[in-house]
Amino acid sequence: MKIIYLLFFVSLVCCSTNASLKDEKRDSFITIDIESALLDDLSSSNFLLSDVVSDLEFVKLELTNRSMIRDIRNILIGDKYILVDDYTEGALLFFKNGKFVSKIGEKGQGPKEYLYIWQAILDEKRGEVVLYTDNGFKVYDLNGEYKRIIPNVKREDLFYSYEHKIILWKDHWFLNEKLPVVEKTKEDLWTFAIVDTLFTMKKKYNNPSLKGQTTNIIANKVPLNGWKNYWLEYFASLDFYGGDFKMKYYDGDTIYKFNVVDSLFHPEYVLELGDHPSFETSHRWIKDTEFFKYLWAYDFFESAQYMYIVVCRSNYLYNVRFDKFTGGIVIVKSENIVNEKVLIGSPGYILRNRHTDFELVNDISGGIPFITRYKSTCGKYWIDEIKPSDLIDKVDIDGLKKAVVTNMTCREKLLNLLKNLDEDDNPILVIATLK
């Protein structure tokens, strides 16, 4: 989307730090000066869901002896179906109204089975679900029946780390790698890649922050024996609003947009965050308290009018809202304590991390706040996942009936759901349709 009414200065730069951009012509980007905005104290009490969302659906996922959900890893939503990728139960397919369709594949050691699923991908256009398993990439139909295996694809040949993310967007297959590397590693530490339907590598993209760090990264790879303060990072932040594919590398300050014509990621937004920690400080598994003193961008969420960026520093979280048409910035500040725990079995290592939820006041239906936990690759939906017990315990039905909301129909949907809800039910999905 072109932005033509910005008050922010739009600069022209030549991008040469990323291998994926080395042949790119000079391109325009938008600067979002978050550091200055924090100094100016451009604060607000909260952000409203109705600013970005037109409708809500409360989906109660049907509970059967085949569709019990225990620990959701990912939610994928298409035009007709919802695919739940569960750590324990595997891949479960539902209609968008929550009715159970099928469990994809079966556990076992046979050629059509698997012991563990790394990831499930819904290809609704072809009527297939691809499972990335311990026993290869296997393809099933929407009834859960085995169709074929993708030949000659081994994890150790394709990836260099234990965790990977596979993204299907508009018939384009992307791989997203992240540190740490494993004991047997490759010298080629790419971050994104495009592959074909047989997972043959077509193009690789490098995180600029990894440039010149390969030797140190490999020296600090994941230990298979003994303790070592190895280096890691989190996945790139992704967003698909409006049918576009945008991403921000871990340890990056630039939001890129993928161009299908030249197959390059072009910079669209640059975040001004002030001083930056060293590579070792930001990638060390056992992070020092020093890391949390820096302003760090964790994720971003795009809508029709706004770009939201979740940043943290010290013991605070800042939800930053950038108006794409006026250039204005508003910030919601909340306390966000860094969690600490001793790593059991280690020589006194303390693991430090924080929760970085993007939370909006649900003024559409009322009830508990909306947290964007998943985004659809079609760019239409944000999804929250709520335990039935949380809805039962935290929603005051009498208060909800009196609450001022923007959509009475959505409130009635929530009230009807609460009437027939049991704590032992499957999680409830709140599907928000973006304006």
Side-chain angles (χ1 to χ4, degrees), residues 157-288:
D157 293 334
L158 196 61
F159 301 109
Y160 61 76
S161 70
Y162 284 129
E163 294 186 80
H164 347 280
K165 186 176 291 184
I166 302 167
I167 305 137
L168 175 58
W169 172 80
K170 290 185 175 180
D171 280 342
H172 298 278
W173 290 83
F174 291 84
L175 309 180
N176 180 198
E177 276 273 46
K178 71 182 187 71
L179 304 179
V181 297
V182 297
E183 189 70 22
K184 294 181 179 179
T185 188
K186 303 174 183 177
E187 298 290 327
D188 183 14
L189 302 183
W190 51 271
T191 307
F192 269 92
I194 293 181
V195 295
D196 61 19
T197 55
L198 295 177
F199 282 80
T200 302
M201 198 75 68
K202 295 298 182 184
K203 193 176 184 68
K204 298 178 181 178
Y205 307 85
N206 301 323
N207 183 341
S209 70
L210 270 61
K211 186 176 182 180
Q213 294 288 346
T214 300
T215 301
N216 290 332
I217 289 169
I218 293 176
N220 290 280
K221 60 193 172 186
V222 60
L224 296 184
N225 297 294
W227 289 100
K228 193 174 184 181
N229 200 18
Y230 67 88
W231 291 359
L232 57 70
E233 62 185 13
Y234 296 101
F235 284 115
S237 302
L238 309 177
D239 198 278
F240 306 94
Y241 177 74
D244 292 329
F245 179 15
K246 295 179 183 177
M247 68 89 177
K248 185 188 79 67
Y249 292 111
Y250 176 83
D251 199 20
D253 61 1
T254 303
I255 296 174
Y256 297 91
K257 177 180 175 180
F258 184 75
N259 186 312
V260 295
V261 177
D262 58 14
S263 295
L264 293 175
F265 285 100
H266 296 259
E268 186 166 67
Y269 295 92
V270 170
L271 312 178
E272 293 289 349
L273 300 168
D275 293 338
H276 195 78
S278 68
F279 188 91
E280 181 177 1
T281 299
S282 62
H283 285 74
R284 190 183 297 131
W285 177 41
I286 309 297
K287 286 184 170 53
D288 295 332

Side-chain angles (χ1 to χ4, degrees), residues 231-379:
W231 291 359
L232 57 70
E233 62 185 13
Y234 296 101
F235 284 115
S237 302
L238 309 177
D239 198 278
F240 306 94
Y241 177 74
D244 292 329
F245 179 15
K246 295 179 183 177
M247 68 89 177
K248 185 188 79 67
Y249 292 111
Y250 176 83
D251 199 20
D253 61 1
T254 303
I255 296 174
Y256 297 91
K257 177 180 175 180
F258 184 75
N259 186 312
V260 295
V261 177
D262 58 14
S263 295
L264 293 175
F265 285 100
H266 296 259
E268 186 166 67
Y269 295 92
V270 170
L271 312 178
E272 293 289 349
L273 300 168
D275 293 338
H276 195 78
S278 68
F279 188 91
E280 181 177 1
T281 299
S282 62
H283 285 74
R284 190 183 297 131
W285 177 41
I286 309 297
K287 286 184 170 53
D288 295 332
T289 56
E290 175 191 359
F291 168 75
F292 299 96
K293 297 177 182 178
Y294 291 91
L295 195 61
W296 189 269
Y298 286 87
D299 206 349
F300 68 98
F301 303 80
E302 187 169 14
S303 66
Q305 182 173 353
Y306 303 114
M307 178 70 78
Y308 297 89
I309 305 103
V310 178
V311 300
C312 292
R313 180 165 58 193
S314 298
N315 288 326
Y316 293 98
L317 181 147
Y318 305 92
N319 280 329
V320 179
R321 188 180 72 187
F322 174 77
D323 192 314
K324 298 191 293 185
F325 299 103
T326 69
I329 295 179
V330 180
I331 297 171
V332 172
K333 177 183 177 181
S334 59
E335 190 174 41
N336 188 268
I337 303 299
V338 177
N339 301 311
E340 295 186 346
K341 68 175 182 179
V342 176
L343 184 61
I344 297 175
S346 73
Y349 289 170
I350 298 176
L351 286 176
R352 298 180 177 90
N353 56 50
R354 62 163 98 234
H355 297 292
T356 56
D357 292 336
F358 174 49
E359 184 175 298
L360 298 165
V361 173
N362 184 357
D363 62 327
I364 295 180
S365 68
I368 63 178
F370 181 93
I371 299 175
T372 302
R373 304 183 193 276
Y374 311 97
K375 310 173 190 178
S376 68
T377 54
C378 66

Side-chain angles (χ1 to χ4, degrees), residues 409-428:
T409 301
C410 288
R411 180 169 66 182
E412 287 304 312
K413 292 177 183 177
L414 178 55
L415 286 169
N416 289 332
L417 173 68
L418 288 166
K419 289 178 184 177
N420 304 296
L421 196 59
D422 187 273
E423 288 190 356
D424 294 327
D425 284 336
N426 272 335
I428 307 302

Side-chain angles (χ1 to χ4, degrees), residues 31-231:
T31 298
I32 304 178
D33 193 344
I34 296 175
E35 183 185 31
S36 295
L38 290 176
L39 293 174
D40 292 339
D41 193 24
L42 303 174
S43 60
S44 175
S45 58
N46 54 61
F47 292 141
L48 301 178
L49 190 61
S50 63
D51 289 340
V52 294
V53 168
S54 60
D55 192 22
L56 286 180
E57 290 291 338
F58 297 91
V59 179
K60 183 179 179 181
L61 298 172
E62 183 182 9
L63 178 61
T64 72
N65 59 0
R66 296 269 294 165
S67 64
M68 182 178 293
I69 295 171
R70 299 181 187 274
D71 189 7
I72 294 178
R73 171 167 43 199
N74 195 16
I75 299 289
L76 299 100
I77 295 183
D79 293 328
K80 297 181 181 179
Y81 298 97
I82 297 171
L83 182 66
V84 176
D85 184 354
D86 187 275
Y87 280 102
T88 304
E89 298 300 321
L92 306 171
L93 190 68
F94 299 82
F95 287 115
K96 285 185 74 174
N97 63 4
K99 183 173 178 56
F100 179 60
V101 178
S102 63
K103 184 170 184 177
I104 309 300
E106 297 290 346
K107 286 190 176 182
Q109 297 183 342
K112 300 179 181 180
E113 299 170 328
Y114 53 82
L115 293 177
Y116 182 77
I117 297 174
W118 293 95
Q119 190 177 342
I121 305 99
L122 174 63
D123 189 350
E124 195 174 73
K125 181 178 178 181
R126 295 177 177 82
E128 296 178 341
V129 174
V130 178
L131 299 185
Y132 168 29
T133 79
D134 61 306
N135 194 20
F137 288 80
K138 302 190 176 186
V139 183
Y140 300 80
D141 64 23
L142 299 184
N143 292 319
E145 297 298 324
Y146 177 83
K147 292 181 68 175
R148 65 185 184 280
I149 190 169
I150 299 176
N152 304 318
V153 181
K154 295 181 180 179
R155 182 190 62 82
E156 59 270 23
D157 293 334
L158 196 61
F159 301 109
Y160 61 76
S161 70
Y162 284 129
E163 294 186 80
H164 347 280
K165 186 176 291 184
I166 302 167
I167 305 137
L168 175 58
W169 172 80
K170 290 185 175 180
D171 280 342
H172 298 278
W173 290 83
F174 291 84
L175 309 180
N176 180 198
E177 276 273 46
K178 71 182 187 71
L179 304 179
V181 297
V182 297
E183 189 70 22
K184 294 181 179 179
T185 188
K186 303 174 183 177
E187 298 290 327
D188 183 14
L189 302 183
W190 51 271
T191 307
F192 269 92
I194 293 181
V195 295
D196 61 19
T197 55
L198 295 177
F199 282 80
T200 302
M201 198 75 68
K202 295 298 182 184
K203 193 176 184 68
K204 298 178 181 178
Y205 307 85
N206 301 323
N207 183 341
S209 70
L210 270 61
K211 186 176 182 180
Q213 294 288 346
T214 300
T215 301
N216 290 332
I217 289 169
I218 293 176
N220 290 280
K221 60 193 172 186
V222 60
L224 296 184
N225 297 294
W227 289 100
K228 193 174 184 181
N229 200 18
Y230 67 88
W231 291 359

